[in-house]
Each structure stands twice: as C-alpha cells, then as structure tokens.
Coordinates of all heavy atoms in Angstrom, one line a residue:
M1 N -9.5 -93.9 79.4 CA -9.8 -92.4 79.6 C -9.5 -91.6 78.3 O -8.6 -92.0 77.5 CB -8.9 -91.9 80.7 CG -9.3 -92.2 82.1 SD -8.1 -91.4 83.3 CE -8.7 -89.7 83.2
K2 N -10.1 -90.5 78.2 CA -9.9 -89.6 77.1 C -8.9 -88.6 77.6 O -9.2 -87.9 78.5 CB -11.2 -89.0 76.6 CG -12.1 -90.0 75.8 CD -13.3 -89.4 75.2 CE -14.3 -88.9 76.2 NZ -15.5 -88.4 75.6
I3 N -7.8 -88.5 77.0 CA -6.7 -87.6 77.5 C -6.1 -86.7 76.4 O -5.9 -87.1 75.3 CB -5.5 -88.5 78.0 CG1 -5.9 -89.5 79.1 CG2 -4.3 -87.7 78.5 CD1 -5.0 -90.6 79.5
G4 N -6.0 -85.4 76.7 CA -5.4 -84.5 75.8 C -4.1 -84.0 76.3 O -3.9 -83.7 77.5
I5 N -3.0 -84.1 75.5 CA -1.6 -83.8 75.9 C -1.2 -82.6 75.1 O -1.1 -82.6 73.9 CB -0.6 -84.9 75.7 CG1 -1.1 -86.2 76.5 CG2 0.8 -84.5 76.1 CD1 -0.3 -87.4 76.3
L6 N -0.8 -81.4 75.9 CA -0.2 -80.3 75.2 C 1.3 -80.4 75.3 O 1.8 -80.4 76.5 CB -0.7 -79.0 75.8 CG -2.2 -78.8 75.7 CD1 -2.6 -77.4 76.2 CD2 -2.8 -78.9 74.2
G7 N 2.0 -80.5 74.3 CA 3.5 -80.7 74.3 C 3.9 -82.1 73.9 O 3.3 -83.0 74.3
T8 N 4.7 -82.1 72.9 CA 5.2 -83.5 72.3 C 6.7 -83.5 72.4 O 7.4 -84.2 71.5 CB 4.7 -83.6 70.9 OG1 5.1 -82.6 70.1 CG2 3.2 -83.7 70.9
G9 N 7.3 -82.8 73.4 CA 8.7 -82.9 73.6 C 9.1 -84.2 74.4 O 8.4 -85.2 74.3
H10 N 10.2 -84.2 75.2 CA 10.7 -85.3 75.8 C 9.5 -86.0 76.7 O 9.3 -87.2 76.6 CB 11.8 -85.0 76.8 CG 13.0 -84.5 76.1 ND1 13.3 -83.1 75.8 CD2 14.0 -85.2 75.5 CE1 14.4 -83.0 75.2 NE2 14.8 -84.2 74.8
I11 N 8.9 -85.1 77.5 CA 7.8 -85.7 78.4 C 6.5 -86.0 77.7 O 6.0 -87.1 77.8 CB 7.6 -84.7 79.5 CG1 8.9 -84.5 80.3 CG2 6.5 -85.3 80.5 CD1 9.6 -85.7 81.0
G12 N 6.0 -85.1 76.9 CA 4.7 -85.2 76.2 C 4.8 -86.5 75.3 O 3.8 -87.3 75.2
K13 N 5.8 -86.6 74.6 CA 5.9 -87.8 73.6 C 5.9 -89.1 74.4 O 5.2 -90.1 74.0 CB 7.3 -87.6 72.8 CG 7.7 -88.8 72.1 CD 9.0 -88.5 71.4 CE 9.6 -89.7 70.7 NZ 10.8 -89.5 70.0
T14 N 6.7 -89.2 75.5 CA 6.7 -90.4 76.3 C 5.4 -90.7 76.8 O 4.9 -91.9 76.7 CB 7.7 -90.2 77.4 OG1 9.0 -89.9 76.8 CG2 7.9 -91.5 78.2
L15 N 4.7 -89.7 77.3 CA 3.4 -89.9 77.9 C 2.3 -90.3 76.8 O 1.5 -91.2 77.0 CB 2.9 -88.7 78.6 CG 3.5 -88.3 79.9 CD1 3.1 -87.0 80.4 CD2 3.3 -89.4 81.0
A16 N 2.5 -89.7 75.7 CA 1.5 -90.0 74.5 C 1.7 -91.5 74.1 O 0.7 -92.2 73.9 CB 1.8 -89.1 73.3
R17 N 3.0 -91.9 74.0 CA 3.2 -93.3 73.5 C 2.8 -94.3 74.6 O 2.1 -95.3 74.3 CB 4.8 -93.5 73.3 CG 5.2 -92.8 72.0 CD 6.7 -92.8 71.9 NE 7.3 -94.1 72.0 CZ 7.5 -94.9 71.0 NH1 7.2 -94.5 69.7 NH2 8.0 -96.1 71.1
K18 N 3.1 -94.1 75.9 CA 2.8 -95.0 77.0 C 1.3 -95.0 77.2 O 0.7 -96.2 77.4 CB 3.4 -94.6 78.3 CG 5.0 -94.7 78.3 CD 5.4 -96.0 78.6 CE 7.0 -96.1 78.7 NZ 7.5 -97.4 78.8
L19 N 0.6 -93.9 77.2 CA -0.8 -93.9 77.6 C -1.7 -94.5 76.4 O -2.6 -95.2 76.7 CB -1.3 -92.5 77.9 CG -0.7 -91.9 79.2 CD1 -1.0 -90.4 79.4 CD2 -1.3 -92.7 80.4
S20 N -1.2 -94.2 75.2 CA -2.0 -94.8 74.1 C -1.7 -96.3 74.0 O -2.6 -97.1 73.7 CB -1.7 -94.0 72.7 OG -0.3 -94.0 72.5
A21 N -0.5 -96.7 74.2 CA -0.2 -98.2 74.3 C -1.0 -98.9 75.3 O -1.3 -100.1 75.1 CB 1.3 -98.4 74.4
A22 N -1.3 -98.2 76.3 CA -2.1 -98.8 77.5 C -3.6 -98.8 77.2 O -4.4 -99.2 78.0 CB -1.7 -98.0 78.8
G23 N -4.0 -98.2 76.0 CA -5.4 -98.3 75.6 C -6.2 -97.0 75.8 O -7.4 -97.0 75.6
H24 N -5.5 -95.9 76.3 CA -6.3 -94.7 76.5 C -6.5 -94.0 75.1 O -5.7 -94.2 74.2 CB -5.5 -93.8 77.4 CG -5.5 -94.4 78.8 ND1 -6.6 -94.4 79.7 CD2 -4.4 -94.9 79.4 CE1 -6.2 -95.0 80.8 NE2 -4.9 -95.3 80.7
D25 N -7.5 -93.2 75.1 CA -7.8 -92.4 73.9 C -7.1 -91.1 74.0 O -7.5 -90.2 74.7 CB -9.3 -92.2 73.7 CG -9.7 -91.4 72.6 OD1 -8.9 -91.0 71.8 OD2 -11.0 -91.1 72.5
V26 N -5.9 -90.9 73.2 CA -5.0 -89.8 73.4 C -5.0 -88.9 72.2 O -4.8 -89.4 71.0 CB -3.6 -90.4 73.7 CG1 -2.6 -89.2 73.9 CG2 -3.6 -91.3 75.0
K27 N -5.1 -87.6 72.5 CA -4.9 -86.6 71.5 C -3.7 -85.7 71.9 O -3.5 -85.5 73.1 CB -6.1 -85.6 71.4 CG -7.4 -86.3 71.0 CD -8.5 -85.3 70.8 CE -9.1 -84.9 72.1 NZ -10.3 -84.0 71.8
V28 N -2.9 -85.3 70.9 CA -1.6 -84.6 71.3 C -1.6 -83.3 70.4 O -2.0 -83.4 69.2 CB -0.3 -85.4 71.1 CG1 -0.2 -86.4 72.2 CG2 -0.3 -86.0 69.7
A29 N -1.0 -82.3 71.0 CA -0.8 -81.0 70.3 C 0.6 -80.3 70.7 O 1.0 -80.5 71.8 CB -1.9 -80.1 70.5
N30 N 1.2 -79.7 69.7 CA 2.3 -78.9 70.0 C 2.0 -77.4 69.6 O 0.9 -77.2 69.4 CB 3.6 -79.4 69.3 CG 3.5 -79.4 67.8 OD1 2.6 -78.7 67.2 ND2 4.4 -80.0 67.1
S31 N 3.0 -76.6 69.5 CA 2.7 -75.2 69.2 C 2.6 -74.9 67.8 O 2.1 -73.9 67.3 CB 3.6 -74.3 69.9 OG 4.9 -74.2 69.2
R32 N 3.2 -75.9 66.9 CA 3.4 -75.6 65.5 C 2.3 -76.2 64.6 O 2.3 -76.0 63.4 CB 4.7 -76.0 65.1 CG 5.9 -75.1 65.6 CD 7.2 -75.8 65.5 NE 7.3 -77.0 66.4 CZ 7.9 -78.2 65.9 NH1 8.4 -78.3 64.8 NH2 7.9 -79.2 66.8
G33 N 1.4 -77.0 65.2 CA 0.4 -77.6 64.4 C 0.5 -79.2 64.2 O 1.6 -79.6 64.3
P34 N -0.6 -79.9 64.0 CA -0.6 -81.4 64.0 C 0.3 -81.9 63.0 O 0.8 -83.0 63.1 CB -2.1 -81.7 63.8 CG -2.8 -80.4 63.4 CD -2.0 -79.3 63.9
E35 N 0.5 -81.2 61.8 CA 1.3 -81.8 60.7 C 2.7 -81.9 61.1 O 3.5 -82.6 60.4 CB 1.0 -81.0 59.4 CG 1.6 -79.6 59.4 CD 0.7 -78.5 60.2 OE1 -0.4 -78.9 60.7 OE2 1.1 -77.4 60.3
T36 N 3.1 -81.2 62.1 CA 4.6 -81.2 62.5 C 4.9 -82.3 63.5 O 6.0 -82.4 63.9 CB 5.0 -79.9 63.0 OG1 4.4 -79.6 64.3 CG2 4.7 -78.7 62.1
I37 N 3.9 -83.0 64.0 CA 4.1 -84.0 65.0 C 4.6 -85.3 64.5 O 4.0 -85.8 63.5 CB 2.8 -84.2 65.8 CG1 2.4 -83.0 66.6 CG2 3.0 -85.4 66.8 CD1 1.1 -83.0 67.4
E38 N 5.7 -85.8 65.0 CA 6.5 -86.9 64.4 C 5.6 -88.2 64.5 O 4.9 -88.4 65.6 CB 7.8 -87.1 65.1 CG 8.8 -85.9 64.8 CD 10.0 -85.9 65.7 OE1 10.1 -86.9 66.5 OE2 10.7 -84.9 65.6
A39 N 5.9 -89.1 63.6 CA 5.1 -90.3 63.5 C 5.3 -91.2 64.8 O 4.4 -91.9 65.2 CB 5.5 -91.1 62.2
D40 N 6.5 -91.2 65.4 CA 6.7 -92.0 66.6 C 5.9 -91.7 67.7 O 5.6 -92.5 68.6 CB 8.2 -92.2 66.8 CG 8.9 -90.9 67.2 OD1 8.3 -89.8 66.8 OD2 9.9 -90.9 67.9
V41 N 5.5 -90.4 67.8 CA 4.6 -89.9 68.9 C 3.2 -90.7 68.7 O 2.6 -90.9 69.7 CB 4.4 -88.4 68.9 CG1 3.4 -87.9 69.9 CG2 5.7 -87.7 68.9
L42 N 2.9 -91.0 67.5 CA 1.5 -91.5 67.2 C 1.5 -93.0 67.0 O 0.5 -93.6 66.6 CB 1.0 -90.8 65.9 CG 1.2 -89.2 65.9 CD1 0.7 -88.7 64.5 CD2 0.4 -88.6 67.0
A43 N 2.7 -93.6 67.2 CA 2.8 -95.0 66.9 C 1.9 -95.9 67.5 O 1.6 -97.1 67.0 CB 4.3 -95.4 67.3
F44 N 1.3 -95.6 68.7 CA 0.4 -96.5 69.4 C -1.0 -96.0 69.4 O -1.9 -96.5 70.2 CB 0.9 -96.8 70.8 CG 2.2 -97.4 70.8 CD1 3.3 -96.6 71.2 CD2 2.4 -98.7 70.4 CE1 4.6 -97.3 71.2 CE2 3.6 -99.3 70.4 CZ 4.8 -98.6 70.8
G45 N -1.4 -95.1 68.4 CA -2.8 -94.7 68.3 C -3.1 -93.3 68.7 O -4.3 -92.9 68.5
A46 N -2.1 -92.6 69.3 CA -2.5 -91.2 69.7 C -2.7 -90.4 68.4 O -2.2 -90.7 67.4 CB -1.3 -90.6 70.4
R47 N -3.6 -89.4 68.5 CA -3.9 -88.6 67.3 C -3.4 -87.2 67.4 O -3.5 -86.6 68.5 CB -5.5 -88.5 67.2 CG -6.1 -89.8 66.7 CD -7.6 -89.8 66.8 NE -8.1 -89.7 68.2 CZ -9.1 -89.0 68.6 NH1 -9.6 -88.1 67.9 NH2 -9.4 -89.0 70.0
A48 N -2.8 -86.7 66.3 CA -2.3 -85.3 66.3 C -3.4 -84.3 66.0 O -4.1 -84.5 65.0 CB -1.2 -85.2 65.3
V49 N -3.6 -83.3 66.8 CA -4.6 -82.4 66.7 C -4.1 -80.9 67.1 O -3.0 -80.8 67.4 CB -5.8 -82.6 67.6 CG1 -6.4 -84.0 67.2 CG2 -5.4 -82.6 69.1
S50 N -5.0 -79.9 66.9 CA -4.6 -78.6 67.3 C -4.6 -78.4 68.8 O -5.3 -79.3 69.5 CB -5.5 -77.6 66.7 OG -6.8 -77.7 67.3
T51 N -4.1 -77.4 69.4 CA -4.3 -77.2 70.9 C -5.6 -77.2 71.3 O -6.0 -77.7 72.4 CB -3.4 -76.0 71.4 OG1 -3.9 -74.8 70.7 CG2 -2.0 -76.1 71.2
A52 N -6.5 -76.4 70.7 CA -7.9 -76.3 71.0 C -8.6 -77.6 71.0 O -9.4 -78.0 71.9 CB -8.7 -75.3 70.1
Q53 N -8.3 -78.4 70.0 CA -8.9 -79.8 69.8 C -8.3 -80.7 70.9 O -9.1 -81.6 71.4 CB -8.7 -80.4 68.5 CG -9.4 -79.6 67.3 CD -8.8 -80.1 65.9 OE1 -7.7 -80.4 65.8 NE2 -9.7 -80.1 65.0
A54 N -7.2 -80.5 71.3 CA -6.6 -81.4 72.3 C -7.4 -81.4 73.6 O -7.4 -82.4 74.4 CB -5.1 -81.1 72.5
V55 N -7.8 -80.2 74.0 CA -8.5 -80.1 75.4 C -10.0 -80.2 75.3 O -10.7 -80.1 76.3 CB -8.1 -78.7 76.0 CG1 -6.6 -78.6 76.1 CG2 -8.6 -77.6 75.2
E56 N -10.5 -80.6 74.1 CA -12.0 -80.6 73.8 C -12.4 -82.1 74.2 O -11.9 -83.0 73.7 CB -12.2 -80.5 72.4 CG -13.3 -79.5 72.0 CD -13.4 -79.2 70.5 OE1 -13.6 -80.3 69.8 OE2 -13.1 -78.1 70.1
D57 N -13.5 -82.2 75.0 CA -14.2 -83.5 75.3 C -13.1 -84.5 75.9 O -13.1 -85.6 75.2 CB -14.8 -83.9 74.1 CG -15.7 -85.2 74.3 OD1 -16.1 -85.4 75.5 OD2 -15.8 -86.1 73.4
V58 N -12.4 -84.1 76.8 CA -11.4 -85.1 77.4 C -11.7 -85.2 78.9 O -12.2 -84.3 79.6 CB -9.9 -84.8 77.1 CG1 -9.6 -85.0 75.7 CG2 -9.6 -83.3 77.6
D59 N -11.2 -86.3 79.6 CA -11.4 -86.5 81.0 C -10.2 -85.8 81.7 O -10.3 -85.3 82.8 CB -11.3 -88.0 81.3 CG -12.4 -88.8 80.7 OD1 -13.6 -88.4 80.9 OD2 -12.1 -89.7 79.9
A60 N -9.0 -85.8 81.0 CA -7.8 -85.2 81.6 C -7.0 -84.5 80.6 O -6.9 -84.9 79.4 CB -7.0 -86.3 82.3
V61 N -6.4 -83.4 81.1 CA -5.4 -82.6 80.1 C -4.1 -82.7 80.8 O -4.0 -82.5 82.0 CB -5.9 -81.2 80.0 CG1 -4.8 -80.4 79.3 CG2 -7.2 -81.0 79.2
I62 N -3.1 -83.0 80.0 CA -1.7 -83.0 80.6 C -0.9 -81.9 79.9 O -0.8 -81.8 78.7 CB -1.0 -84.4 80.3 CG1 -1.8 -85.6 81.0 CG2 0.4 -84.3 80.8 CD1 -1.2 -86.9 80.7
L63 N -0.3 -81.0 80.7 CA 0.6 -80.0 80.2 C 1.9 -80.4 80.3 O 2.4 -80.7 81.4 CB 0.4 -78.6 81.0 CG -1.1 -78.2 81.2 CD1 -1.1 -76.9 82.1 CD2 -1.7 -77.9 79.9
S64 N 2.6 -80.4 79.1 CA 4.0 -80.8 79.1 C 4.8 -79.8 78.2 O 5.5 -80.2 77.3 CB 4.2 -82.2 78.6 OG 4.1 -83.2 79.6
I65 N 4.6 -78.5 78.6 CA 5.2 -77.4 77.8 C 6.1 -76.6 78.8 O 5.9 -76.7 80.0 CB 4.2 -76.5 77.1 CG1 3.4 -75.6 78.1 CG2 3.2 -77.4 76.3 CD1 2.5 -74.7 77.5
P66 N 7.1 -75.9 78.3 CA 7.9 -75.1 79.2 C 7.1 -74.1 80.1 O 6.1 -73.6 79.5 CB 8.8 -74.3 78.2 CG 8.8 -75.2 77.0 CD 7.5 -75.8 76.9
L67 N 7.4 -74.0 81.3 CA 6.6 -73.2 82.2 C 6.3 -71.8 81.7 O 5.2 -71.3 81.8 CB 7.3 -73.1 83.6 CG 6.6 -72.4 84.6 CD1 5.5 -73.2 85.2 CD2 7.6 -71.9 85.8
N68 N 7.3 -71.2 81.0 CA 7.1 -69.8 80.5 C 6.2 -69.7 79.3 O 5.8 -68.7 78.9 CB 8.4 -69.1 80.2 CG 9.2 -69.8 79.0 OD1 8.7 -70.8 78.5 ND2 10.2 -69.1 78.6
R69 N 5.7 -70.9 78.8 CA 4.7 -71.0 77.7 C 3.3 -71.1 78.3 O 2.3 -71.0 77.5 CB 5.0 -72.0 76.7 CG 6.4 -71.9 76.1 CD 6.5 -70.7 75.2 NE 5.5 -70.6 74.2 CZ 5.7 -71.1 72.9 NH1 6.8 -71.8 72.6 NH2 4.7 -71.0 72.0
I70 N 3.2 -71.4 79.5 CA 1.8 -71.6 80.1 C 0.9 -70.5 79.8 O -0.3 -70.8 79.5 CB 1.9 -71.9 81.7 CG1 2.7 -73.2 81.9 CG2 0.6 -72.0 82.3 CD1 2.0 -74.5 81.9
P71 N 1.2 -69.2 80.0 CA 0.3 -68.2 79.7 C -0.4 -68.2 78.3 O -1.5 -67.8 78.2 CB 1.1 -66.9 79.9 CG 2.2 -67.3 80.8 CD 2.5 -68.7 80.5
T72 N 0.4 -68.8 77.3 CA -0.2 -68.9 75.9 C -1.3 -69.9 75.9 O -2.2 -69.7 75.0 CB 0.9 -69.2 74.9 OG1 1.3 -70.6 75.2 CG2 2.1 -68.3 75.0
I73 N -1.4 -70.8 76.8 CA -2.5 -71.8 76.7 C -3.5 -71.6 77.9 O -4.5 -72.4 78.0 CB -2.0 -73.3 76.6 CG1 -1.0 -73.6 77.7 CG2 -1.4 -73.5 75.3 CD1 -1.6 -74.3 78.9
A74 N -3.2 -70.6 78.7 CA -4.1 -70.4 79.9 C -5.6 -70.3 79.5 O -6.4 -70.8 80.3 CB -3.5 -69.2 80.7
P75 N -5.9 -69.5 78.5 CA -7.4 -69.3 78.2 C -8.0 -70.7 77.9 O -9.1 -70.9 78.2 CB -7.4 -68.4 77.0 CG -6.0 -67.7 77.0 CD -5.1 -68.7 77.6
L76 N -7.3 -71.6 77.2 CA -7.9 -72.9 77.0 C -8.1 -73.7 78.3 O -9.2 -74.3 78.4 CB -6.9 -73.8 76.1 CG -6.7 -73.4 74.7 CD1 -5.6 -74.3 74.1 CD2 -8.0 -73.5 73.9
I77 N -7.3 -73.5 79.2 CA -7.4 -74.3 80.5 C -8.5 -73.6 81.3 O -9.3 -74.3 82.0 CB -6.1 -74.3 81.3 CG1 -4.9 -74.9 80.4 CG2 -6.2 -75.0 82.7 CD1 -5.2 -76.2 79.9
A78 N -8.6 -72.3 81.3 CA -9.5 -71.6 82.1 C -11.0 -72.0 81.7 O -12.0 -71.9 82.4 CB -9.4 -70.1 81.9
N79 N -11.2 -72.4 80.4 CA -12.5 -72.7 79.9 C -12.9 -74.1 79.9 O -13.9 -74.6 79.5 CB -12.6 -72.2 78.4 CG -12.7 -70.7 78.3 OD1 -13.3 -70.1 79.1 ND2 -12.1 -70.1 77.3
L80 N -12.0 -75.0 80.6 CA -12.3 -76.4 80.7 C -13.5 -76.6 81.7 O -13.6 -75.8 82.7 CB -11.1 -77.1 81.3 CG -9.9 -77.3 80.3 CD1 -8.8 -78.0 81.1 CD2 -10.3 -78.1 79.1
P81 N -14.3 -77.6 81.5 CA -15.3 -78.0 82.5 C -14.6 -78.2 83.9 O -13.5 -78.7 83.9 CB -15.9 -79.2 81.9 CG -15.6 -79.3 80.5 CD -14.2 -78.5 80.4
A82 N -15.3 -77.9 84.9 CA -14.8 -78.1 86.3 C -14.3 -79.5 86.6 O -13.4 -79.7 87.3 CB -15.9 -77.7 87.3
E83 N -15.0 -80.5 85.9 CA -14.6 -81.9 86.3 C -13.4 -82.4 85.5 O -12.9 -83.5 85.7 CB -15.8 -82.8 86.0 CG -16.3 -82.9 84.5 CD -17.3 -81.8 84.2 OE1 -17.5 -80.9 84.9 OE2 -18.0 -82.0 83.1
T84 N -12.9 -81.6 84.6 CA -11.7 -82.1 83.8 C -10.5 -82.0 84.7 O -10.2 -81.0 85.3 CB -11.5 -81.2 82.6 OG1 -12.6 -81.2 81.8 CG2 -10.3 -81.7 81.7
V85 N -9.7 -83.0 84.8 CA -8.5 -83.1 85.6 C -7.3 -82.5 84.8 O -7.1 -82.8 83.7 CB -8.2 -84.6 86.0 CG1 -6.8 -84.6 86.7 CG2 -9.2 -85.2 86.8
V86 N -6.5 -81.6 85.4 CA -5.4 -80.9 84.7 C -4.2 -81.5 85.5 O -4.0 -81.2 86.7 CB -5.6 -79.4 84.7 CG1 -4.4 -78.8 84.0 CG2 -6.8 -79.0 84.0
I87 N -3.3 -82.0 84.7 CA -2.0 -82.5 85.3 C -0.9 -81.8 84.6 O -0.8 -81.7 83.3 CB -1.8 -84.0 84.9 CG1 -2.9 -84.8 85.5 CG2 -0.5 -84.5 85.4 CD1 -3.2 -86.2 84.9
D88 N -0.1 -81.1 85.4 CA 1.0 -80.2 84.9 C 2.4 -80.8 85.2 O 2.7 -80.9 86.4 CB 0.8 -78.9 85.5 CG 1.8 -77.8 85.0 OD1 2.6 -78.1 84.0 OD2 1.8 -76.7 85.5
T89 N 3.1 -81.2 84.2 CA 4.4 -81.7 84.4 C 5.5 -80.7 84.6 O 6.7 -81.0 84.8 CB 4.9 -82.7 83.3 OG1 5.2 -81.9 82.1 CG2 3.8 -83.7 82.9
S90 N 5.2 -79.4 84.4 CA 6.2 -78.5 84.3 C 6.9 -78.1 85.6 O 6.4 -78.3 86.6 CB 5.6 -77.2 83.7 OG 4.7 -76.5 84.5
N91 N 8.2 -77.7 85.5 CA 8.9 -77.1 86.6 C 9.7 -76.0 86.0 O 9.8 -75.7 84.8 CB 9.8 -78.1 87.3 CG 10.4 -79.1 86.4 OD1 10.8 -78.7 85.2 ND2 10.7 -80.3 86.8
Y92 N 10.2 -75.1 87.0 CA 10.7 -73.8 86.7 C 12.3 -73.9 86.6 O 13.0 -74.3 87.6 CB 10.4 -72.8 87.8 CG 10.9 -71.5 87.7 CD1 11.1 -70.9 86.5 CD2 11.4 -70.8 88.8 CE1 11.6 -69.5 86.4 CE2 11.9 -69.5 88.8 CZ 11.9 -68.9 87.6 OH 12.5 -67.6 87.4
Y93 N 12.8 -73.7 85.3 CA 14.2 -73.5 85.2 C 14.5 -72.1 84.8 O 14.2 -71.6 83.8 CB 14.7 -74.4 84.0 CG 14.6 -75.9 84.3 CD1 13.8 -76.7 83.5 CD2 15.5 -76.5 85.2 CE1 13.7 -78.0 83.8 CE2 15.4 -77.8 85.4 CZ 14.5 -78.6 84.7 OH 14.5 -80.0 84.9
P94 N 15.1 -71.3 85.8 CA 15.3 -69.8 85.5 C 16.0 -69.6 84.2 O 15.8 -68.6 83.6 CB 16.1 -69.4 86.7 CG 15.7 -70.4 87.8 CD 15.5 -71.7 87.1
H95 N 17.0 -70.4 83.9 CA 17.8 -70.1 82.6 C 17.0 -70.3 81.4 O 17.2 -69.7 80.3 CB 19.0 -70.9 82.6 CG 18.8 -72.4 82.4 ND1 18.6 -73.3 83.6 CD2 18.7 -73.3 81.4 CE1 18.3 -74.5 83.1 NE2 18.4 -74.5 81.8
R96 N 15.9 -71.1 81.5 CA 15.0 -71.3 80.3 C 13.7 -70.4 80.4 O 13.3 -69.9 79.3 CB 14.6 -72.8 80.3 CG 13.7 -73.1 79.1 CD 13.0 -74.5 79.3 NE 12.1 -74.4 80.5 CZ 11.5 -75.5 81.0 NH1 11.7 -76.6 80.5 NH2 10.7 -75.3 82.0
D97 N 13.2 -70.3 81.6 CA 11.9 -69.7 81.7 C 11.9 -68.2 82.0 O 10.9 -67.6 82.3 CB 11.1 -70.4 82.7 CG 10.8 -71.9 82.3 OD1 10.6 -72.1 81.2 OD2 10.9 -72.7 83.3
D98 N 13.1 -67.6 82.1 CA 13.3 -66.2 82.4 C 13.0 -66.0 83.9 O 12.5 -66.9 84.5 CB 12.4 -65.2 81.6 CG 12.8 -65.4 80.1 OD1 13.9 -65.6 79.7 OD2 11.9 -65.3 79.2
K99 N 13.1 -64.8 84.4 CA 12.9 -64.6 85.8 C 11.4 -64.4 86.1 O 10.8 -63.6 85.4 CB 13.7 -63.3 86.3 CG 13.6 -63.0 87.7 CD 14.5 -61.9 88.1 CE 14.5 -61.6 89.6 NZ 13.2 -61.6 90.3
I100 N 10.9 -65.1 87.0 CA 9.5 -65.0 87.4 C 9.5 -64.5 88.8 O 10.1 -65.1 89.7 CB 8.7 -66.3 87.3 CG1 8.7 -66.8 85.9 CG2 7.3 -66.1 87.8 CD1 8.2 -68.2 85.7
D101 N 8.9 -63.3 89.0 CA 8.9 -62.7 90.4 C 8.2 -63.6 91.3 O 7.3 -64.3 91.0 CB 8.3 -61.3 90.3 CG 9.1 -60.3 89.6 OD1 10.4 -60.5 89.6 OD2 8.6 -59.4 89.0
A102 N 8.7 -63.6 92.6 CA 8.1 -64.4 93.7 C 6.6 -64.1 93.7 O 6.2 -62.9 93.6 CB 8.8 -64.1 95.0
Ligands
NAP201 N1 12.6 -83.4 80.3 C1 12.5 -83.8 81.6 O1 13.3 -84.7 82.0 C2 11.5 -83.2 82.5 C3 11.2 -83.9 83.7 C4 10.2 -83.4 84.4 C5 9.5 -82.2 84.1 N2 9.8 -81.6 82.9 C6 9.1 -80.4 82.6 O2 8.0 -80.8 81.7 C7 7.8 -79.7 80.7 C8 8.0 -80.2 79.4 O3 9.4 -80.7 79.3 P1 10.1 -81.3 78.0 O4 11.5 -81.7 78.3 O5 9.1 -82.4 77.4 O6 10.0 -80.0 77.0 P2 10.5 -80.0 75.5 O7 11.2 -81.3 75.0 O8 11.2 -78.7 75.3 O9 9.1 -79.9 74.7 C9 8.2 -78.8 74.9 C10 7.0 -79.0 74.0 O10 6.0 -78.0 74.4 C11 5.4 -77.6 73.2 N3 4.8 -76.3 73.3 C12 5.4 -75.2 73.6 N4 4.5 -74.2 73.7 C13 3.3 -74.8 73.4 C14 2.0 -74.3 73.3 N5 1.7 -72.9 73.4 N6 1.0 -75.1 73.0 C15 1.3 -76.4 72.7 N7 2.5 -77.0 72.9 C16 3.5 -76.1 73.2 C17 6.5 -77.7 72.2 O11 6.0 -77.7 70.9 P3 6.7 -76.9 69.7 O12 8.1 -77.7 69.5 O13 5.8 -77.1 68.5 O14 6.9 -75.5 70.1 C18 7.2 -79.0 72.5 O15 6.5 -80.1 71.9 C19 8.8 -78.6 81.2 O16 8.1 -77.7 82.0 C20 9.9 -79.3 81.9 O17 10.5 -78.5 82.8 C21 10.8 -82.1 82.1

C-alpha cells in the first residue's frame, strides 16, 4: 500500500519503520520539514517529505501527532479523496492538549 504518515515521534517513527520494512511505500512528514527527519526513521525505505506531499496519492494516511495539533493539518485531510483511509492514533491528554470543551 501507499501510506502517508504525519508525525515522526514515538508512534509515527515506529509505524514508518515497521510498515516500510514490511514492503509498503511509506512517506513521512513532521512539522519542521523533511530535512529534520532522523535517518533511523528512513532506515527501511520510508521517504521524508513535506506534510502536503505525505498525503498526496496515498491509499492511507496515518495521523500520529498530538491531538491539539490536528486543526493545523485539518485542511489537508478535508481535501483527501473519499476513498483514502484515515487512521488516527491520537488520544486526548488534558495536560498536553489543553482543555477541549465537551
Ligand atoms: N506514545 C505513545 O505510547 C502513544 C500511544 C498511543 C497513542 N499515542 C498518541 O499518538 C499521537 C502521537 O504520539 P507520539 O508519542 O508519537 O508523539 P510525539 O513523540 O510527541 O511526536 C509528535 C510528532 O508529531 C509531529 N507533528 C506535530 N504537529 C505536526 C503537524 N502539524 N504536521 C506534521 N507533524 C506534526 C511532530 O513533529 P515536530 O517534532 O517536527 O513538531 C512529531 O514528529 C498522540 O496523539 C498520542 O497521544 C501515543
């Protein structure tokens, strides 16, 4: 599968390594640009790209960013084709993500 991963922290990095090692075509992006992505994230063939490039022409998008950052990438997700699968690993930590009204 062609997979785009947003976030290269604990979860995104693990998914990028495992999914590319399993033979998937993986692109990864963080918030600071592809040149800041560490080599070990790319060790099994994943490619470092911009956030816009990560969600372009993929079968699935994986969000692995803090919940309170989701609004910053929401426009990219809103413009995905209807058939693109979106997988969100995030969960809500009030001490990290600020207060979100019910
Ligand atoms: N850690 C766990 O055990 C665990 C388990 C289950 C679920 N989760 C959830 O999964 C999510 C990710 O957790 P994590 O531990 O992997 O987080 P993390 O280590 O803090 O990494 C967060 C990543 O998100 C990137 N990011 C932030 N804003 C972005 C944006 N606008 N566009 C692209 N990338 C962006 C960061 O890039 P920069 O560094 O460049 O900003 C960083 O690579 C969280 O919601 C967390 O609650 C975590």
